[in-house]
Amino acid sequence: MIALGARLKGSQVVKTLGFKPNFCDYTHGEMDLIRRADTIYWPTAFYAGLFSAMNKKIFPSVNNYDFALDKIKQTAMFKLLDLPHPRTKLFYGKTQKQRITDLFKFPFIAKIPRGSSRGKGVFLIKGQNDLITYLKIPGPAYIQEYIPTQRDMRILIIGREIVLAFWRTAADNEFRTNLSQGGKISFSNLPSQALELALQTARCCNWNDVGIDIMEHQGKPMVIEANMKYGTQGFKAAGIDYQKLLERLILTGKI
């Protein structure tokens, strides 16, 4: 069993070859391993589509890579699947961006739609000055309704099952719940509806290594976004050895 990405580097179960964009830089032995492998784990964004095109089994799925760090595609998918999701709209170009305040009242959320993570590209737009500053960022404006809450849920799915779920509570004077922004973890009971929605979202989108963020609004769960490059702080807090968990799932044929 082999991997390209570093997720299982050092594992005694899966041999990690590392990522080399020039395929010819792999040794002949490594090339042979890649060609003969039943499954290639963490093939990287570069190779996932190539292996999928040649009908090579990979984990995680090619969809995982296609939607990673892309809020635009994720939102489009949520709407196509009619999944509950905060009201969101994209604005392209200067003319469209001038209409933002016609459709959204302050305060609202603005995000860097591609490439951002860990809460760094999420802004609470309280007034016109905040909006002017945000619109200086190149690219489309990703605008979302602001639903005040101090906590949400991170539900982690590997393969076809939930392996960990927890609440994230925002730090004082912070609207973001990200752990990297000071959010705190709680393992108190999560509503079953939220767990079911996370599983439904992952399965419908064919995401099999993902953290689904869920919030509650008016007593019902709502999908915020999907994180394919999730952190492992939650596993540490729960006393779970993340690498051994992955190895167990591989050895039992669950991934």
Side-chain angles (χ1 to χ4, degrees):
M1 290 182 284
I2 63 168
L4 299 189
R7 193 72 68 91
L8 281 173
K9 189 175 182 180
S11 168
Q12 299 301 307
V13 173
V14 176
K15 180 180 178 62
T16 297
L17 303 181
F19 168 62
K20 298 176 183 179
N22 290 301
F23 190 72
C24 58
D25 289 341
Y26 289 105
T27 67
H28 289 294
E30 290 171 338
M31 290 181 188
D32 190 49
L33 281 173
I34 291 170
R35 292 182 177 119
R36 290 190 299 108
D38 291 329
T39 302
I40 299 176
Y41 292 95
W42 288 279
T44 74
F46 184 86
Y47 283 109
L50 300 178
F51 293 149
S52 182
M54 59 188 288
N55 293 319
K56 172 73 71 175
K57 185 179 177 182
I58 62 173
F59 180 88
S61 70
V62 69
N63 282 37
N64 254 68
Y65 291 99
D66 283 347
F67 287 86
L69 300 178
D70 193 329
K71 295 176 177 63
I72 294 175
K73 290 179 72 173
Q74 288 185 23
T75 291
M77 181 61 84
F78 298 151
K79 290 184 177 180
L80 281 168
L81 295 172
D82 197 25
L83 295 170
H85 179 60
R87 185 170 67 91
T88 303
K89 189 171 179 61
L90 285 155
F91 297 85
Y92 293 87
K94 185 177 180 180
T95 300
Q96 285 192 17
K97 290 175 181 179
Q98 289 174 341
R99 298 183 57 240
I100 290 174
T101 53
D102 293 338
L103 300 176
F104 290 85
K105 304 303 179 185
F106 298 117
F108 52 78
I109 297 294
K111 299 181 180 181
I112 296 175
R114 291 192 174 104
S116 63
S117 62
R118 299 167 62 88
K120 294 179 180 178
V122 181
F123 310 95
L124 180 59
I125 307 300
K126 298 178 180 179
Q128 195 65 37
N129 289 339
D130 289 341
L131 180 57
I132 290 170
T133 300
Y134 167 73
L135 292 178
K136 291 179 182 178
I137 300 171
Y142 180 102
I143 306 299
Q144 193 169 78
E145 66 175 318
Y146 174 53
I147 301 173
T149 183
Q150 282 300 109
R151 67 176 189 172
D152 61 21
M153 293 162 262
R154 167 63 58 87
I155 301 170
L156 290 145
I157 297 163
I158 302 179
R160 297 184 63 82
E161 65 184 53
I162 295 173
V163 295
L164 185 67
F166 52 87
W167 291 99
R168 304 184 304 176
T169 302
D172 293 341
N173 301 315
E174 175 60 67
F175 72 96
R176 294 166 294 184
T177 62
N178 305 76
L179 303 185
S180 57
Q181 302 298 328
K184 303 298 182 184
I185 292 174
S186 169
F187 295 104
S188 59
N189 293 336
L190 279 74
S192 60
Q193 278 188 316
L195 301 177
E196 291 167 3
L197 177 59
L199 274 175
Q200 177 192 1
T201 301
R203 289 171 179 170
C204 289
C205 297
N206 193 21
W207 298 333
N208 55 2
D209 182 27
V210 62
I212 304 289
D213 293 343
I214 304 281
M215 70 180 300
E216 283 189 307
H217 180 51
Q218 297 178 346
K220 295 182 179 180
M222 179 178 288
V223 181
I224 305 172
E225 64 182 40
N227 293 271
M228 290 72 177
K229 298 188 176 183
Y230 53 82
T232 58
Q233 302 98 310
F235 292 98
K236 293 176 183 176
I240 297 172
D241 186 314
Y242 177 65
Q243 187 173 95
K244 290 188 182 303
L245 168 66
L246 294 178
E247 290 175 343
R248 184 168 66 253
L249 293 171
I250 289 170
L251 289 173
T252 56
K254 292 184 177 179
I255 63 174

